[in-house]
Amino acid sequence: MAKPTQAHMSKTLGKNQPDGLKDMKKRQMEYYMGAKLIEVGVDPKSATYRWSVETRGTNEVWTYSAYWGDSKEQLIQDEQQSQNS
């Protein structure tokens, strides 16, 4: 079985939450993602990270993604191609 080369973590927050609370939640997610990568044997410094935010009514769904190995290479290649288009 192939080892995973990416991980995603989502959190739903109210759009009207104070910025300080949102910043705290973002830092928590970054910390937990790093801990999870260590747990599965991936060096957090070797991964590439991306944030995405999706609005759903009065909420925002924040997703923090980590990519390493083949997924990291593919992500970087895709981003370079989209910049050149």
Side-chain angles (χ1 to χ4, degrees), residues 60-80:
E60 294 175 333
V61 179
W62 293 32
T63 302
Y64 191 48
S65 301
Y67 303 89
W68 62 94
D70 294 341
S71 291
K72 178 180 175 178
E73 292 172 18
Q74 186 65 47
L75 174 72
I76 292 169
Q77 184 179 33
D78 291 348
E79 289 177 346
Q80 287 174 344

Side-chain angles (χ1 to χ4, degrees), residues 32-84:
Y32 289 125
M33 179 66 80
K36 189 54 143 176
L37 293 180
I38 290 170
E39 188 177 295
V40 297
V42 174
D43 179 1
K45 293 179 182 175
S46 71
T48 296
Y49 301 91
R50 296 293 182 269
W51 280 102
S52 65
V53 179
E54 179 185 342
T55 301
R56 292 186 186 164
T58 60
N59 293 320
E60 294 175 333
V61 179
W62 293 32
T63 302
Y64 191 48
S65 301
Y67 303 89
W68 62 94
D70 294 341
S71 291
K72 178 180 175 178
E73 292 172 18
Q74 186 65 47
L75 174 72
I76 292 169
Q77 184 179 33
D78 291 348
E79 289 177 346
Q80 287 174 344
Q81 286 179 351
S82 69
Q83 289 176 354
N84 294 333

